[in-house]
Amino acid sequence: MPFVKEKFTLPNPLRAFVFLMREFNYTQAQAQRAIAKGRILVDGESIYGSSDLIHGEIEYVYFKPISRGNTPIFTTPDFM
């Protein structure tokens, strides 16, 4: 379950935290926390201001759970 870097194209300027709230359905606190960690990249450089205007091609690094197809060996009502 890796972190992935995904590219997005924004035709109009938008505040960084608003982009995350709309695109990933984050709360404002979650969006600001991700930006403070430097996970939005503009021209390959991290931005740290949640109210910065972003547009054009940006990249966002986030955790994306990807199943490897493993299935549980056994399950009980309390444990899988």
Side-chain angles (χ1 to χ4, degrees), residues 16-31:
F17 77 94
V18 173
F19 163 73
L20 291 178
M21 290 174 64
R22 289 181 183 171
E23 189 70 32
F24 292 95
N25 201 25
Y26 284 176
T27 64
Q28 187 171 355
Q30 290 171 322

Side-chain angles (χ1 to χ4, degrees), residues 3-5 7-8 11 13 18-19 21-23 25 27 31 35-37 40 44-45 48 52 59 68-69 75-76:
F3 278 88
V4 295
K5 185 189 294 186
K7 291 184 180 185
F8 296 90
V18 173
F19 163 73
M21 290 174 64
R22 289 181 183 171
E23 189 70 32
N25 201 25
T27 64
I35 295 166
K37 291 180 180 179
I40 290 186
E45 297 290 325
Y48 296 98
D52 290 353
E59 296 173 312
R68 293 185 180 183
T75 61
T76 66

Side-chain angles (χ1 to χ4, degrees), residues 5 10 14 32 36 42 47 52 61 72 74 78 80:
K5 185 189 294 186
L10 302 174
L14 189 64
Q32 289 174 337
V42 177
I47 63 166
D52 290 353
V61 178
F74 69 93
D78 300 320
M80 179 183 286

Side-chain angles (χ1 to χ4, degrees), residues 3 6 11 15 29 35 38-39 41 43 60 64 71 73 77 79:
F3 278 88
E6 192 171 339
R15 302 263 181 222
I35 295 166
R39 297 216 173 129
L41 296 104
D43 297 327
Y60 180 55
K64 184 174 186 178
T71 58
I73 298 171
F79 181 76

